[in-house]
Amino acid sequence: MRTTFVMARLTFNEAARRKILLCAFLMGLLFLAIYASGYLYFNREATREHIPPIALREMRSFMVMAGLYVVNFLTVMMTVLVSVDTLAGEIASGTIHAIASKPIRRWEILAGKWLGFVGMLSMYLLLMAGGVLLSVYLISGYSPPNPARAVVLIWLNGMLMLSVSLLGGAVFSTLANGVLVFGLFGIAFVGGWIEHVGSFLQRQAAVNVGVVCSLLFPSEALWRRAAFEMQSPLVQALGFSPFAAPSAPNVVMIGYAIVYTVVALWLAMRAFSRRDL
Amino acid sequence: MVPTEAVAISSQGLKKVFDDKVAVEDLSLEVFRGEVFGFLGPNGAGKTTSVKMLLGLVHPTEGSARLLGSPLNDWRIRQRIGFLPEHFRFHDWVSAREFLTLHGRLYKMPDRVLQARIEELLELIGLTQHASKKLGQFSKGMLQRIGLAQSLLNQPDLVFLDEPTSGLDPLGRRLVRDIIRDLRARGTTVFLNSHLLSEVEITCDRVSFVKKGRVVQTATMSSLMESEFTVDVRARGVTSELLGRLSCLASNVRLDGEHVLLGLSGEDHLPMITRALVEGGAEVFSVTPQRLSLEDLFVKIIGTDGGL
């Protein structure tokens, strides 16, 4: 167990030393600064125009959704970028030889890396999502329903990407892994939108396509559930917005995503244990 | 029969097939505790794959092996094993000291013991001055040295060194030789993969020759060096009849002007040759035995095709 933490620390330190954390932090701050100034501007204009409170609330809700939508996307990107090369790259360069020949089991190496990335990505998400929610709250006093639940779902999305990317890295080369993970993300993304529009137009076939895509890779489903958790009662009643839909993935789908993540991580450990280095 | 506690490595029929390529056909050998064992063979003979199988980095297709008495799947035994990989590389953003600390922690060494050991090793490999430098700034030779230090952190009972002198200058090579000598003095078993036969000749107690993934010969260095040599005889009046008689006593008999060259399988045969020459009426001026170098032996055992 101790060696797992040694690996976790190495993984986290690598991100710090290679200036990945610094870049992510600086770009994150820039994003938040731009987001907050934009929000400040819209909020001031809307208040001046004497927009009715219901519409004002909708506008604020929309802005929070838009902000967190980008945060969700950035978290996914960040997760894949930092983890896609960690196994395949170290196997290709031979760096792994000195580590895997120590008294440490292969799964412990992988678990250590996983923990290191989880720590790093959690910090990143906390900064970004926290920044969006906090700036909106400080500027306008608005807070969407269930913000914590939504952030946890976005976090889960990151964990899903991480586990799948580690599985790909244990089996394929870095580039093949990247193509695989982004490919899955793309399928889930487009499937999510087909389901979204299909449910609005009440076309069951389109909804089914979306469900199948979510079963293939439940990444978009997690985001849509997060958006559903935060949507305003009005949107819920109207049944459509660009970010949320009445047919939000149910709890079973969230459970499925969790199982998917755990199984992917388990398969990654198994594949890495069997791999010739 | 050698008692099991005296054996550091024993392997029976280890085989590795990658897709359709046989990397190691049959690795069967015994390495005794406390000896320096040379593992020799041409490129592509399966030396590195063999070492990786013993260390659990590559899973054998067939066969079994024991390291320090434990089967291959017992990862705990690696607590007592050190390994310097071939073409050693590591993350270029860690400093030398951080690198050793990390690996010491993987060996679960208590921090205080580890820090003392790190200073000792940095001193030994001559990198104390560069301890805070990042590995990315290290030369090939420095990297090789720090890799070697990493393999000795836990004061192992068994060390695998895969081409430890590659990338090293003559001083570095001498350092490796001295370190191996120290290890032997402390009773550590050393498994050495090397191309530099002159080094193997100086450092190893026993050697195995591998060809096409199979151990073709294992012998102690002394028996190898004594077993075969050529004799250069300078003599006049060597008749063809005499040459015929010599051919019955020695191999590869050749006459070259005043020189007769013959191959002998042991020193004991020398007086017999001299007697035959004198009795055959030759005037003998000198009899000079010439030992084969390990390189000559290597070529003889492996063949010039390199086993490819």
Side-chain angles (χ1 to χ4, degrees):
Chain A
M1 215 40 205
R2 210 180 117 189
T3 43
T4 305
F5 287 110
V6 174
M7 287 310 299
R9 215 158 105 178
L10 175 72
T11 308
F12 189 89
N13 285 346
E14 179 170 15
R17 292 291 190 79
R18 290 174 69 187
K19 311 274 188 287
I20 298 171
L21 278 189
L22 183 73
C23 288
F25 183 72
L26 289 180
M27 293 316 289
L29 283 188
L30 189 63
F31 166 82
L32 289 175
I34 292 171
Y35 177 80
S37 12
Y39 186 79
L40 189 69
Y41 174 76
F42 279 124
N43 191 61
R44 200 192 304 144
E45 288 300 304
T47 322
R48 201 176 291 157
E49 298 286 327
H50 301 295
I51 293 175
I54 287 186
L56 196 60
R57 197 183 155 78
E58 283 317 307
M59 189 212 81
R60 287 169 177 162
S61 167
F62 179 86
M63 285 295 287
V64 170
M65 292 275 198
L68 288 182
Y69 182 78
V70 177
V71 168
N72 174 63
F73 181 74
L74 287 177
T75 306
V76 164
M77 285 289 146
M78 181 85 173
T79 307
V80 177
L81 287 178
V82 294
S83 65
V84 73
D85 185 47
T86 187
L87 287 176
E90 288 187 10
I91 293 171
S93 72
T95 303
I96 200 79
H97 293 152
I99 292 175
S101 56
K102 294 284 182 301
I104 180 171
R105 279 163 289 189
R106 296 268 184 96
W107 68 261
E108 290 178 301
I109 299 178
L110 199 126
K113 282 178 178 288
W114 190 83
L115 271 180
F117 287 128
V118 168
M120 177 191 155
L121 292 165
S122 304
M123 275 174 56
Y124 179 73
L125 178 62
L126 217 58
L127 168 81
M128 299 294 278
V132 166
L133 290 167
L134 195 69
S135 51
V136 167
Y137 182 75
L138 288 180
I139 291 167
S140 61
Y142 174 77
S143 175
N146 309 316
R149 227 182 266 178
V151 172
V152 168
L153 284 165
I154 297 174
W155 180 81
L156 208 57
N157 199 1
M159 298 306 104
L160 170 71
M161 297 305 290
L162 177 61
S163 304
V164 172
S165 152
L166 287 178
L167 171 58
V171 180
F172 303 111
S173 71
T174 301
L175 282 176
N177 185 22
V179 170
L180 174 89
V181 180
F182 280 128
L184 281 173
F185 179 72
I187 290 171
F189 187 81
V190 87
W193 278 95
I194 293 174
E195 185 182 346
H196 196 92
V197 176
S199 74
F200 181 69
L201 300 173
Q202 293 179 334
R203 293 287 184 276
Q204 193 53 40
V207 172
N208 290 346
V209 169
V211 171
V212 168
C213 290
S214 290
L215 288 175
L216 209 59
F217 197 59
S219 161
E220 186 66 12
L222 285 170
W223 158 253
R224 286 195 302 123
R225 181 72 199 193
F228 175 77
E229 294 290 346
M230 292 184 295
Q231 73 190 351
S232 66
L234 182 68
V235 168
Q236 234 160 358
L238 283 175
F240 194 79
S241 113
F243 299 113
S247 75
N250 58 19
V251 182
V252 178
M253 184 53 97
I254 305 310
Y256 175 77
I258 294 172
V259 172
Y260 195 108
T261 305
V262 173
V263 169
L265 188 62
W266 176 74
L267 284 176
M269 286 174 175
R270 213 172 80 125
F272 185 53
S273 298
R274 292 179 176 189
R275 174 88 189 251
D276 288 325
L277 302 176
Chain B
M1 183 73 188
V2 184
T4 41
E5 61 272 22
V7 177
I9 305 170
S10 74
S11 78
Q12 291 85 35
L14 274 191
K15 179 176 185 170
K16 182 63 193 179
V17 183
F18 290 113
D19 298 326
D20 53 350
K21 186 183 168 287
V22 181
V24 174
E25 179 69 51
D26 173 13
L27 181 75
S28 300
L29 52 80
E30 272 193 337
V31 176
F32 307 121
R33 294 221 181 168
E35 74 175 347
V36 179
F37 188 86
F39 199 54
L40 315 178
N43 292 332
K47 300 194 298 294
T48 294
T49 306
S50 298
V51 169
K52 283 182 173 179
M53 278 198 281
L54 293 173
L55 283 159
L57 293 172
V58 165
H59 303 291
T61 314
E62 275 173 34
S64 64
R66 296 182 90 84
L67 263 66
L68 304 172
S70 296
L72 284 186
N73 55 12
D74 182 5
W75 58 277
R76 287 180 194 87
I77 198 64
R78 299 206 289 264
Q79 188 73 46
R80 292 163 56 199
I81 293 173
F83 173 44
L84 169 66
E86 189 187 15
H87 309 305
F88 172 75
R89 277 194 60 180
F90 207 72
H91 300 298
D92 49 14
W93 52 269
V94 293
S95 74
R97 189 174 274 120
E98 286 171 330
F99 165 75
L100 292 177
T101 307
L102 167 77
H103 284 272
R105 287 188 178 146
L106 287 176
Y107 276 124
K108 303 184 183 82
M109 293 170 75
D111 264 357
R112 193 174 300 168
V113 178
L114 176 60
Q115 289 316 316
R117 182 71 181 144
I118 287 174
E119 297 313 318
E120 192 183 326
L121 283 169
L122 284 170
E123 186 72 39
L124 177 71
I125 56 164
L127 288 181
T128 307
Q129 306 277 317
H130 305 281
S132 312
K133 241 189 209 173
K134 289 187 179 148
L135 296 190
Q137 297 168 290
F138 270 28
S139 70
K140 215 168 150 194
M142 288 159 87
L143 264 183
Q144 197 71 6
R145 285 174 189 229
I146 199 78
L148 186 64
Q150 163 272 141
S151 72
L152 304 176
L153 272 167
N154 56 337
Q155 306 205 300
D157 293 330
L158 169 61
V159 191
F160 289 88
L161 303 176
D162 198 349
E163 301 291 349
T165 47
S166 76
L168 288 182
D169 56 15
L171 282 177
R173 289 214 287 274
R174 180 192 275 180
L175 174 81
V176 171
R177 222 154 51 212
D178 291 346
I179 288 176
I180 293 176
R181 216 169 266 157
D182 285 354
L183 287 170
R184 176 170 38 199
R186 285 199 291 112
T188 308
T189 311
V190 181
F191 189 101
L192 178 69
N193 257 8
S194 181
H195 272 123
L196 281 177
L197 296 174
S198 54
E199 309 238 338
V200 171
E201 203 169 331
I202 304 170
T203 47
C204 290
D205 299 312
R206 278 200 315 144
V207 290
S208 265
F209 292 89
V210 213
K211 183 179 179 178
K212 294 181 181 165
R214 202 183 275 276
V215 177
V216 288
Q217 190 174 341
T218 303
T220 63
M221 199 52 121
S222 50
S223 71
L224 263 182
M225 302 314 284
E226 276 164 20
S227 63
E228 300 233 11
F229 59 96
T230 3
V231 184
D232 180 0
V233 180
R234 207 181 126 226
R236 278 184 202 150
V238 179
T239 59
S240 54
E241 187 198 344
L242 180 53
L243 275 181
R245 278 182 57 198
L246 289 174
S247 299
C248 303
L249 301 169
S251 58
N252 295 326
V253 180
R254 279 182 295 136
L255 181 65
D256 182 9
E258 284 191 354
H259 291 266
V260 185
L261 296 162
L262 348 96
L264 284 186
S265 57
E267 251 177 3
D268 303 346
H269 300 285
L270 257 184
M272 215 156 56
I273 296 292
T274 322
R275 199 177 309 130
L277 280 161
V278 175
E279 283 173 0
E283 294 175 356
V284 181
F285 294 92
S286 67
V287 178
T288 321
Q290 292 171 330
R291 297 200 182 284
L292 287 180
S293 67
L294 187 57
E295 192 174 305
D296 297 327
L297 277 170
F298 183 89
V299 173
K300 199 167 165 231
I301 294 168
I302 301 295
T304 43
D305 64 344
L308 297 173

PDB file of all heavy atoms in Angstrom, chain A residues 96-108:
ATOM      1  N   ILE A  96       9.619   2.307 -17.223  1.00  0.00           N
ATOM      2  CA  ILE A  96       8.846   1.437 -16.344  1.00  0.00           C
ATOM      3  C   ILE A  96       9.681   0.272 -15.795  1.00  0.00           C
ATOM      4  O   ILE A  96       9.377  -0.264 -14.731  1.00  0.00           O
ATOM      5  CB  ILE A  96       7.583   0.917 -17.103  1.00  0.00           C
ATOM      6  CG1 ILE A  96       6.507   0.415 -16.138  1.00  0.00           C
ATOM      7  CG2 ILE A  96       7.941  -0.175 -18.101  1.00  0.00           C
ATOM      8  CD1 ILE A  96       5.703   1.496 -15.513  1.00  0.00           C
ATOM      9  N   HIS A  97      10.766  -0.095 -16.504  1.00  0.00           N
ATOM     10  CA  HIS A  97      11.543  -1.271 -16.095  1.00  0.00           C
ATOM     11  C   HIS A  97      12.103  -1.159 -14.687  1.00  0.00           C
ATOM     12  O   HIS A  97      12.048  -2.113 -13.910  1.00  0.00           O
ATOM     13  CB  HIS A  97      12.697  -1.524 -17.071  1.00  0.00           C
ATOM     14  CG  HIS A  97      12.219  -1.934 -18.423  1.00  0.00           C
ATOM     15  ND1 HIS A  97      12.921  -1.686 -19.569  1.00  0.00           N
ATOM     16  CD2 HIS A  97      11.087  -2.565 -18.802  1.00  0.00           C
ATOM     17  CE1 HIS A  97      12.241  -2.150 -20.603  1.00  0.00           C
ATOM     18  NE2 HIS A  97      11.116  -2.685 -20.158  1.00  0.00           N
ATOM     19  N   ALA A  98      12.663   0.016 -14.369  1.00  0.00           N
ATOM     20  CA  ALA A  98      13.267   0.181 -13.043  1.00  0.00           C
ATOM     21  C   ALA A  98      12.197   0.151 -11.954  1.00  0.00           C
ATOM     22  O   ALA A  98      12.462  -0.240 -10.823  1.00  0.00           O
ATOM     23  CB  ALA A  98      14.058   1.482 -12.984  1.00  0.00           C
ATOM     24  N   ILE A  99      10.977   0.560 -12.293  1.00  0.00           N
ATOM     25  CA  ILE A  99       9.901   0.593 -11.294  1.00  0.00           C
ATOM     26  C   ILE A  99       9.259  -0.786 -11.125  1.00  0.00           C
ATOM     27  O   ILE A  99       9.136  -1.299 -10.017  1.00  0.00           O
ATOM     28  CB  ILE A  99       8.830   1.634 -11.695  1.00  0.00           C
ATOM     29  CG1 ILE A  99       9.424   3.035 -11.587  1.00  0.00           C
ATOM     30  CG2 ILE A  99       7.595   1.502 -10.818  1.00  0.00           C
ATOM     31  CD1 ILE A  99       8.518   4.139 -12.058  1.00  0.00           C
ATOM     32  N   ALA A 100       8.899  -1.395 -12.258  1.00  0.00           N
ATOM     33  CA  ALA A 100       8.144  -2.657 -12.181  1.00  0.00           C
ATOM     34  C   ALA A 100       9.003  -3.823 -11.681  1.00  0.00           C
ATOM     35  O   ALA A 100       8.468  -4.877 -11.342  1.00  0.00           O
ATOM     36  CB  ALA A 100       7.540  -2.987 -13.545  1.00  0.00           C
ATOM     37  N   SER A 101      10.343  -3.637 -11.639  1.00  0.00           N
ATOM     38  CA  SER A 101      11.191  -4.712 -11.115  1.00  0.00           C
ATOM     39  C   SER A 101      11.418  -4.570  -9.613  1.00  0.00           C
ATOM     40  O   SER A 101      12.148  -5.340  -9.011  1.00  0.00           O
ATOM     41  CB  SER A 101      12.534  -4.719 -11.849  1.00  0.00           C
ATOM     42  OG  SER A 101      13.152  -3.456 -11.746  1.00  0.00           O
ATOM     43  N   LYS A 102      10.779  -3.573  -9.010  1.00  0.00           N
ATOM     44  CA  LYS A 102      10.863  -3.385  -7.557  1.00  0.00           C
ATOM     45  C   LYS A 102       9.805  -4.258  -6.870  1.00  0.00           C
ATOM     46  O   LYS A 102       8.903  -4.770  -7.540  1.00  0.00           O
ATOM     47  CB  LYS A 102      10.599  -1.908  -7.221  1.00  0.00           C
ATOM     48  CG  LYS A 102      11.666  -0.956  -7.743  1.00  0.00           C
ATOM     49  CD  LYS A 102      12.909  -1.021  -6.907  1.00  0.00           C
ATOM     50  CE  LYS A 102      13.985  -0.062  -7.364  1.00  0.00           C
ATOM     51  NZ  LYS A 102      14.460  -0.212  -8.734  1.00  0.00           N
ATOM     52  N   PRO A 103       9.903  -4.404  -5.543  1.00  0.00           N
ATOM     53  CA  PRO A 103       8.863  -5.202  -4.856  1.00  0.00           C
ATOM     54  C   PRO A 103       7.522  -4.473  -4.821  1.00  0.00           C
ATOM     55  O   PRO A 103       7.080  -3.988  -3.785  1.00  0.00           O
ATOM     56  CB  PRO A 103       9.448  -5.404  -3.452  1.00  0.00           C
ATOM     57  CG  PRO A 103      10.450  -4.316  -3.284  1.00  0.00           C
ATOM     58  CD  PRO A 103      10.970  -3.988  -4.637  1.00  0.00           C
ATOM     59  N   ILE A 104       6.909  -4.357  -5.960  1.00  0.00           N
ATOM     60  CA  ILE A 104       5.608  -3.699  -6.067  1.00  0.00           C
ATOM     61  C   ILE A 104       4.807  -4.463  -7.105  1.00  0.00           C
ATOM     62  O   ILE A 104       5.361  -4.910  -8.112  1.00  0.00           O
ATOM     63  CB  ILE A 104       5.779  -2.201  -6.460  1.00  0.00           C
ATOM     64  CG1 ILE A 104       4.437  -1.492  -6.587  1.00  0.00           C
ATOM     65  CG2 ILE A 104       6.566  -2.046  -7.760  1.00  0.00           C
ATOM     66  CD1 ILE A 104       4.561   0.034  -6.750  1.00  0.00           C
ATOM     67  N   ARG A 105       3.519  -4.668  -6.823  1.00  0.00           N
ATOM     68  CA  ARG A 105       2.700  -5.379  -7.789  1.00  0.00           C
ATOM     69  C   ARG A 105       2.267  -4.410  -8.882  1.00  0.00           C
ATOM     70  O   ARG A 105       2.133  -3.214  -8.637  1.00  0.00           O
ATOM     71  CB  ARG A 105       1.481  -5.995  -7.098  1.00  0.00           C
ATOM     72  CG  ARG A 105       1.828  -7.303  -6.415  1.00  0.00           C
ATOM     73  CD  ARG A 105       0.777  -7.706  -5.416  1.00  0.00           C
ATOM     74  NE  ARG A 105       0.820  -6.832  -4.244  1.00  0.00           N
ATOM     75  CZ  ARG A 105       0.140  -7.059  -3.138  1.00  0.00           C
ATOM     76  NH1 ARG A 105      -0.642  -8.098  -3.045  1.00  0.00           N
ATOM     77  NH2 ARG A 105       0.253  -6.234  -2.110  1.00  0.00           N
ATOM     78  N   ARG A 106       2.016  -4.963 -10.043  1.00  0.00           N
ATOM     79  CA  ARG A 106       1.665  -4.097 -11.177  1.00  0.00           C
ATOM     80  C   ARG A 106       0.420  -3.264 -10.869  1.00  0.00           C
ATOM     81  O   ARG A 106       0.354  -2.093 -11.193  1.00  0.00           O
ATOM     82  CB  ARG A 106       1.416  -4.939 -12.423  1.00  0.00           C
ATOM     83  CG  ARG A 106       2.627  -5.686 -12.922  1.00  0.00           C
ATOM     84  CD  ARG A 106       3.377  -4.879 -13.952  1.00  0.00           C
ATOM     85  NE  ARG A 106       4.474  -5.652 -14.484  1.00  0.00           N
ATOM     86  CZ  ARG A 106       4.412  -6.359 -15.608  1.00  0.00           C
ATOM     87  NH1 ARG A 106       3.304  -6.352 -16.314  1.00  0.00           N
ATOM     88  NH2 ARG A 106       5.448  -7.052 -16.018  1.00  0.00           N
ATOM     89  N   TRP A 107      -0.568  -3.900 -10.250  1.00  0.00           N
ATOM     90  CA  TRP A 107      -1.807  -3.155 -10.012  1.00  0.00           C
ATOM     91  C   TRP A 107      -1.573  -1.993  -9.048  1.00  0.00           C
ATOM     92  O   TRP A 107      -2.249  -0.978  -9.101  1.00  0.00           O
ATOM     93  CB  TRP A 107      -2.941  -4.068  -9.540  1.00  0.00           C
ATOM     94  CG  TRP A 107      -2.793  -4.679  -8.169  1.00  0.00           C
ATOM     95  CD1 TRP A 107      -2.352  -5.929  -7.896  1.00  0.00           C
ATOM     96  CD2 TRP A 107      -3.106  -4.069  -6.901  1.00  0.00           C
ATOM     97  NE1 TRP A 107      -2.351  -6.145  -6.538  1.00  0.00           N
ATOM     98  CE2 TRP A 107      -2.810  -5.020  -5.899  1.00  0.00           C
ATOM     99  CE3 TRP A 107      -3.606  -2.822  -6.515  1.00  0.00           C
ATOM    100  CZ2 TRP A 107      -2.990  -4.756  -4.543  1.00  0.00           C
ATOM    101  CZ3 TRP A 107      -3.782  -2.557  -5.165  1.00  0.00           C
ATOM    102  CH2 TRP A 107      -3.476  -3.522  -4.193  1.00  0.00           C
ATOM    103  N   GLU A 108      -0.564  -2.159  -8.186  1.00  0.00           N
ATOM    104  CA  GLU A 108      -0.255  -1.063  -7.258  1.00  0.00           C
ATOM    105  C   GLU A 108       0.332   0.133  -8.012  1.00  0.00           C
ATOM    106  O   GLU A 108       0.079   1.289  -7.660  1.00  0.00           O
ATOM    107  CB  GLU A 108       0.743  -1.534  -6.194  1.00  0.00           C
ATOM    108  CG  GLU A 108       0.148  -2.515  -5.206  1.00  0.00           C
ATOM    109  CD  GLU A 108       1.174  -2.997  -4.196  1.00  0.00           C
ATOM    110  OE1 GLU A 108       2.196  -3.584  -4.623  1.00  0.00           O
ATOM    111  OE2 GLU A 108       0.968  -2.797  -3.001  1.00  0.00           O
TER     112      GLU A 108
END
